Every structure is written in C-alpha cells, then in structure tokens.
Amino acid sequence: MTASLLIRNVRPNAGAALDILVEDGRIARMAKDIAAPAGVPVEDGRGEIVIPGLVEAHTHLDKSLWGLPWYVNEVGPKLLDKIDNERESKKRLDIDPARQSARQSVQSSLMGTTHIRSHVDVDTEHGLWGVEGVMATRDGYRDIVDIELVAFPQSGLLRRPGTLELMDQAMKAGCEIVGGLDPCGIDRDPKGHLDAVFGLCQKYGKPLDIHLHEPGEMGAFSTELIIERTRALGMHGKVTISHAFCLGSPDMALVDPLIGELAALDIAIMTTAPSRSAAPPVRKLVDAGVRVCSGSDGIRDTWGPYGNADMIERAMFVGLRNNFRRDDELKIALDVCTQGGAQVMEIADYGLAEGKAADLVIMPGETLAELIVTRSPKRRVVKRGRIVARDGVSVRAAP
Ligand SMILES: [Zn+2]
C-alpha cells in the first residue's frame, strides 16, 4: 500500500519551492533539484502549496445519508428528538453503516483528508451493526485513509440498560477510543456515566473522547468531573472533550479556570466551530497550550442536511466563528484541521518532514490563508506516497 514518488516544485506550507522524494510511503528527502531515481514516477507540483493531509478528527461515518435519496427533515427541536428519530429511522432508511461509511470515506479522501476519527453508534437496538460496518470500511479503504473508531453511546449509556455491556463488546472488538455523551443532560447521572466510561478506558487502556453539548454551568460541572477523573486516573493527554460548548460561555470566571486545568492535564478540545451554539475560543485555547482539533461532525444525516467532508472549508468555519482575519490567525485555523487533529489522534509519523508518512495535499494558492479562502477543488491527495485523488476524482469508487 506504500509507494514511491518524486514531487517536483511544490511549496511546503506556502514556503520556498522544492522537491519531495517519497520512498516506500515516507518522505525521504525535501530539497531543491532532487535527481529522479529510476522507475519512480514524477509529479509536477506546478509551484503549488503542499500541506500535510487534512485530519477529520470528529465525524460519524456510520450514519451519513450520502448517496441516498434526499431526506426530508421534519425532526423535533430537542437533542433527544434527533437521537430517537435517528435510531428509529436507520433500518427504514437503509442506512447501512458499511456502505455509508465507505461513501463518506471516499468523499473525505478526495477533499484531502488522510486520517479520520469516527464516533460510531452503539445502542441496544442496533448493537454493533455500526462498529462492524465502519471496521469493514477501515479495513477495505486503508489505501486511501486511516480510520479510528470511537465506541459511542449515542442513545445514552445508563438510561438504556444493556448499552454499557455493548460498549464493552465494542471495545473488545477493537474500537480504539471510548466515547461518552452529556453525563447530565442525557443520562441524568453524571457520576454513573463518567465512572462507567472512564472504567472502560481503564479496562482496555484506551483514551476517552466524550461529546459534551451541555451549556454554561451544567457543562462546566461535567467538565470539572472529567478533569477530576483524568487527574485521579493519570490519564493526562488521553482525554478529548468534543464540542465543549460551555467553554464558549461569556462568564470568564467560569471558563478561565477550566482552560487552565485542561492545559495542565493536556485534555484536548474538539470544536466544529458551530454556527449557533456557544463555541470554545480557539485562539485562547491554543495560546494556553491546549490541543485543539476539528471535524465535520455528522454529514448529511437525519440531524441536519449540511456537510461535504471538506476540512479546508471547516478551517474557514473555524476562522469565521472565531473572527479570524489576520493571516497568522487563519494559519491557526488550518493547523487545527491538520496538526491539531494529528496531535489529538496521536499520529506519530504525521507532518511535512523527512521520515514522516507521505500523506499530503497539493493545492493552488499563494498563501495558507488564500487556500482557506478560495478552497480550490483542484486538489491532489497523496496517501503513503500514492496519489489517491486528483481534482475531485478518487482512485476508489464509492459503493
Ligand atoms: Zn458528534
């Protein structure tokens, strides 16, 4: 699955032009005028920008409606309306997790994503259907994208007895991350919920990535409980809080101490840069030393109609939501969608440097800020040294 390739005349992170020699899927040399080794294909970079592969650090591959007939959304306003509606609709709408995750993965790859963290529903109605389907895609599409799975109790953990046992089975089956969801708002038992998910982390030696939509004081309370457990269990650097809307509260007396604790315990934050909810302040978190990543969340699902799996567009949303205007600020937005995601997912061989995996995106543009603003569809995507997508066409067909 690895390949060798000589990419001529590209500009790493919009810097000076040079050549990149890839050997067996890894960046072997970055220099000017590298002689082409015999038999190695040569790609003309045309002076375009090359960045490391985009990182989709939070999505739900198992339940996208991509490629299915248009879903007319008439769902109710509450979080539980969306959760119940989705669970009850899955079989009726034929949302087969294997097929749908493959479709979204191909779409992600052709937009430039090389790594995906997917939360995958585990519930008493569908058991491990989602996990098995996404695992089939992970194994079957490894040549274009690396996928890791979060076992995710979307319908609640304790409010639906039997879910915890299924979560245990999902971890046993090979999910890489334990998921969780609104300990107060959904399960109404914060201690019970958090003890259960942290217990699974301890049992399997795996990290936690918990959805936390709870706003204001309630979200801050849950965050404090997560902080307490992270410290007590020595899980520094192994916990991600996804959404963390409470960090967008205007009450600095509430937010600032939390950010200090997150930085001290190396707890990461995922934000989609939502258009409506309060959102974590990206600049402030990055300045405090907190790892920040981003993701599309659900793409074209029963929750909402939007999404195209483009993490360059997501960087624009991060910029818009955080009022980023300066070029150095837009670079932070792009970092969140590349390096930040790689740090959260602990991708060891990630980056634009010799010895790292040759997972790259080549795009036209003068500066990194311009990349985000123009979001050119002319993208060449390299996975382990092989060009896997060119101008919106993947080497893999979606089912
Ligand atoms: Zn999510």
Side-chain angles (χ1 to χ4, degrees):
M1 262 189 303
T2 62
S4 297
L5 179 68
L6 177 61
I7 308 167
R8 287 221 182 279
N9 187 27
V10 278
R11 296 184 298 121
N13 294 320
L18 44 69
D19 300 344
I20 298 178
L21 177 64
V22 177
E23 288 175 348
D24 292 331
R26 292 195 175 273
I27 299 172
R29 271 188 76 199
M30 298 173 68
K32 281 190 183 297
D33 303 321
I34 298 175
V40 171
V42 178
E43 181 74 17
D44 180 2
R46 306 189 291 248
E48 295 179 4
I49 296 172
V50 61
I51 58 172
L54 296 161
V55 180
E56 167 72 84
H58 185 119
T59 189
H60 296 262
L61 288 177
D62 55 315
K63 49 194 189 178
S64 172
L65 300 170
W66 199 274
L68 291 174
W70 184 257
Y71 173 72
V72 178
N73 190 322
E74 295 172 320
V75 72
K78 297 201 299 274
L79 189 57
L80 264 179
D81 295 333
K82 298 178 179 71
I83 290 171
D84 292 342
N85 171 64
E86 178 179 64
R87 194 182 57 254
E88 286 151 15
S89 303
K90 269 186 188 170
K91 287 272 160 71
R92 183 172 52 80
L93 296 174
D94 189 26
I95 309 176
D96 173 41
R99 182 186 63 231
Q100 295 311 115
S101 60
R103 286 178 178 173
Q104 188 180 322
S105 296
V106 170
Q107 172 65 19
S108 267
S109 167
L110 61 84
M111 298 308 267
T113 287
T114 55
H115 297 82
I116 297 174
R117 172 179 283 188
S118 177
H119 296 251
V120 185
D121 286 7
V122 173
D123 65 56
T124 51
E125 210 154 310
H126 303 103
L128 300 190
W129 191 38
V131 168
E132 287 157 4
V134 177
M135 281 184 174
T137 293
R138 177 192 66 188
D139 298 343
Y141 290 79
R142 213 183 278 278
D143 57 330
I144 59 169
V145 65
D146 289 315
I147 297 170
E148 67 176 25
L149 285 83
V150 186
F152 177 48
Q154 172 75 80
S155 293
L157 188 59
L158 305 179
R159 65 186 282 271
R160 292 176 65 91
T163 307
L164 182 56
E165 291 73 17
L166 287 165
M167 287 283 289
D168 190 282
Q169 287 177 30
M171 295 311 296
K172 204 171 284 172
C175 285
E176 287 91 349
I177 319 280
V178 176
L181 172 69
D182 292 354
C184 298
I186 299 293
D187 261 352
R188 296 171 179 271
D189 181 357
K191 182 177 184 309
H193 182 98
L194 291 172
D195 286 349
V197 295
F198 274 95
L200 283 174
C201 293
Q202 293 291 294
K203 181 173 177 185
Y204 290 96
K206 297 293 188 187
L208 176 70
D209 187 336
I210 182 168
H211 280 65
L212 189 64
H213 309 91
E214 296 164 2
E217 298 271 4
M218 191 201 286
F221 171 66
S222 289
T223 303
E224 283 167 5
L225 297 186
I226 292 167
I227 286 168
E228 280 171 14
R229 283 161 180 74
T230 303
R231 182 183 290 116
L233 297 169
M235 283 182 62
H236 305 62
K238 298 292 176 190
V239 174
T240 303
I241 303 177
S242 282
H243 301 302
F245 295 155
C246 61
L247 297 179
S249 162
D251 182 357
M252 289 308 137
L254 184 83
V255 172
D256 285 350
L258 290 177
I259 291 180
E261 295 275 29
L262 296 174
L265 293 168
D266 195 12
I267 295 174
I269 296 297
M270 191 296 301
T271 181
T272 63
S275 55
R276 182 186 142 272
S277 315
V282 168
R283 179 81 194 246
K284 190 166 181 168
L285 286 164
V286 169
D287 286 349
V290 177
R291 289 173 296 146
V292 180
C293 62
S294 188
S296 305
D297 208 0
I299 290 172
R300 302 199 191 174
D301 57 18
T302 62
W303 292 63
Y306 303 109
N308 57 6
D310 182 3
M311 290 303 294
I312 293 282
E313 186 175 272
R314 187 60 46 183
M316 179 183 76
F317 293 149
V318 171
L320 287 169
R321 188 67 175 82
N322 288 275
N323 195 25
F324 288 170
R325 293 158 189 268
R326 292 167 52 95
D327 282 55
D328 55 357
E329 291 173 329
L330 267 73
K331 184 178 178 306
I332 294 172
L334 186 61
D335 282 348
V336 163
C337 297
T338 53
Q339 208 71 245
Q343 286 169 0
V344 171
M345 289 174 60
E346 301 184 81
I347 307 168
D349 57 358
Y350 181 90
L352 260 186
E354 291 176 3
K356 303 294 186 185
D359 297 338
L360 314 166
V361 188
I362 303 167
M363 287 178 68
E366 192 179 329
T367 66
L368 294 177
E370 193 190 6
L371 274 195
I372 296 173
V373 171
T374 56
R375 304 183 307 288
S376 172
K378 291 195 170 302
R379 304 180 189 187
R380 285 174 280 178
V381 185
V382 179
K383 183 67 184 169
R384 295 189 192 89
R386 192 166 71 110
I387 295 182
V388 295
R390 192 186 288 277
D391 299 342
V393 180
S394 175
V395 295
R396 295 294 304 271

